[in-house]
Every structure is written in structure tokens, then in C-alpha cells.
Amino acid sequence: MIQQSFTFKSVEKLKSRKLIGQIFTEGKSFSHFPFRVIYIFPPENKSYLQAGFSVSSKNFKKAVNRNRIKRLMREAYRLQKNSLYTVLEQNKNHLAVFIIYTGNGLPVYEIVFEKIGRVIERLEKIISDKKDER
């Protein structure tokens, strides 16, 4: 039995300004309240899956609150990303995804966990639909 790794390594974090810019200009998006998800399939990447997280300073003036929400999002993503990573590996696809919190209030972890799970399911469906197109 293979031990599942619930890590969020440096190579899996979306840091490249060039790739982030490309996501916002060429990427496709969907919303699943309270998240807006923008994604792109880059031709070649360090990792099969890279993710970035953001919270609007317009809705949350205090950095403490923005950082708390991003921490909740990263934790929920870290625990649920393995299925998405497996699908990408099987299809030999690379995915860069940017998740933006669009809600107005401070969320509870259980809600963030559930919604991030739904976002990941939707991304898996998009990847399998992309595979069917080939």
C-alpha cells in the first residue's frame, strides 16, 4: 500500500509571475461560491499541479483576516488535492490553478473544506472532459 502524502511542497506553489499573469490573461474560470477558480493547462511545468490562493483586500481590510482565510484555503486544499494530482498524472497533464476567495465574511473551516472539495471535483471533471476531447 502506498502512503499518501498530504504535503504542499514549494514546487506545488504557484509563484511564477509569468505563469500567474498567463493564468489571468489566457485562463478559463468558474465560480463556486465563495470561490472563483482560474486555471490553465501549461505545456510544461515543474509539477503536475501548482496552486495559488488569494483574498481581496477590498473585502478584508485587515491582513490578519486575509492571511487567516488563505491559511484555511491552503489547508483544505492540501488535504484534498491527492485525487486531483492522481488524475493529472494519469492523463499526463499539467495544471496551474488560482483560487480566489470572493465571500464577504470570515468563513468557518468546515465550509471551506467542503467547498474546496467541490472545486477539486469540478477540476477533475474538467480534466477528464479534456482527455475525452483528444
Side-chain angles (χ1 to χ4, degrees):
M1 190 174 125
I2 297 172
Q3 178 75 29
Q4 274 193 329
S5 171
F6 295 105
T7 59
F8 190 39
K9 294 181 179 156
S10 182
V11 292
E12 296 173 343
K13 293 178 182 169
L14 188 57
K15 296 186 229 173
S16 164
R17 284 183 177 270
K18 184 178 175 184
L19 188 53
I20 292 171
Q22 193 178 1
I23 287 173
F24 281 98
T25 55
E26 304 168 19
K28 295 180 178 151
S29 70
F30 65 87
S31 288
H32 187 84
F33 187 80
F35 300 112
R36 181 164 180 255
V37 181
I38 308 169
Y39 64 94
I40 192 170
F41 294 98
E44 205 46 48
N45 217 343
K46 295 175 192 168
S47 175
Y48 281 109
L49 178 61
Q50 283 191 316
F53 302 90
S54 179
V55 179
S56 169
S57 58
K58 180 181 166 192
N59 294 339
F60 297 94
K61 303 290 184 219
K62 294 183 178 175
V64 174
N65 294 334
R66 291 194 302 273
N67 293 338
R68 167 102 179 129
I69 295 168
K70 284 188 278 191
R71 202 174 303 119
L72 292 174
M73 290 164 58
R74 280 194 302 265
E75 180 66 6
Y77 169 81
R78 179 184 73 82
L79 293 172
Q80 300 181 74
K81 72 178 168 77
N82 282 331
S83 60
L84 181 59
Y85 195 87
T86 307
V87 170
L88 285 166
E89 229 172 15
Q90 288 169 351
N91 296 328
K92 301 227 183 315
N93 265 338
H94 295 271
L95 177 68
V97 63
F98 206 86
I99 302 173
I100 303 168
Y101 182 78
T102 57
N104 291 331
L106 278 171
V108 179
Y109 176 72
E110 288 74 25
I111 292 170
V112 173
F113 188 85
E114 177 198 339
K115 299 291 184 171
I116 290 282
R118 297 250 174 88
V119 164
I120 288 173
E121 286 172 12
R122 183 136 175 214
L123 285 168
E124 287 172 2
K125 186 178 182 316
I126 289 167
I127 293 162
S128 60
D129 290 349
K130 184 177 190 259
K131 185 185 95 172
D132 295 341
E133 289 174 7
R134 287 194 229 157

